[in-house]
Amino acid sequence: MKKYSRMFKFTGILLLLMQIFCFSSGEAAASNTGTFIAEQASRVISLTGFTRPRVSMTLVSEESAVCTDVYADVGDIIDHSGRFAELDPTFIKLEIAQLQADLKRLRSDLTYYDKEAKRYTKLVKRNTAAQSELDLHIRNFESAEALLHSTQLKLNVDREHLRRYTLRGPDGWRVIRRYIEPGEWVNMGEKVAELGNFKSLLIPYALTIPELKKVRKAKDSIILKLPDLGIEVPAKLERISPDFDPETRKVEVDFEISKGKFEFRGGLRTELNIQMPDPGGAVVVPKSALLKAYDDTFLVRPDGVRVKVLVLGETEDGKARVSSRAVKAGEEFLLKP
């Protein structure tokens, strides 16, 4: 009996030592496993826009005449002279020639009346001429002087009209549409062309307030994709409307592209990608943290509590997107349960 009693005691001690060893080994394994912090998942919102000129304008004729020449066609660039088209200036030039002749005659009359007024002033002082004759010459002189000024103003107006018989646009702008041809009659106020400044491009977008806040934070590193050209270009936030569209509840904004190795033109499709927080509250976790049991997937808290999650997919960096009402961003879980 004593022999068996000693054997039982030895076996109990051995079992106790094994339990202590397993417990310490488990603690070491748990400490080696480590933990991680769940990160908030994000989703990429892709918006599409199309390029347009930085500024566009309608070129309108300020005179009525026959078009004699058109210097730029659709797609052409207005040169440094700014000339787009020329109207027939024949009649305005004849009026200018007539006014110049009138000015020459009036200057001669003015000189004559001035001399007569001075001569009659001396005669009146000598009492050899009537005061009324002096007044008549002074009146003729003042009338000729006023008429001279009036004719000079008319000449200046006609010269300005003549200048506007050449239809001009801003230097470096391109012709978008052309409405006139040589030999065609052009009326005052009639549209002759649509011009655009393609030195830089604008892309209009409609953003929600959270999207706008996100874009404003990244204003120095905004990248727009041009999928049809297979390139990416830097852009900047150029304009923000202070109002919003009551139907879409979005704010209209314009992005500007001023640099890029491609032809600047309108109608190029662009894509703006914005990373926004996942609206469903999903989080990103390492794949090693997922514990599968039967048909369910769990995350394990440091205290050993399992939390059932739904796997939504995989991120670009190889992590998993999961969702659960019991899991929030910033919570701690075991890295390798």
Side-chain angles (χ1 to χ4, degrees), residues 315-331:
T315 63
E316 294 180 356
D317 55 358
K319 294 183 178 181
R321 294 175 68 250
V322 299
S323 175
S324 173
R325 292 183 179 180
V327 177
K328 305 294 182 184
E331 293 184 337

Side-chain angles (χ1 to χ4, degrees), residues 67 69 84 89 114 124 145 159 173 216 221 223 267 275 277 281:
C67 176
D69 293 291
F84 170 72
D114 182 48
V124 168
E145 187 177 38
R159 283 174 174 167
W173 287 37
R216 273 181 159 173
S221 58
I223 298 295
Q275 279 197 345

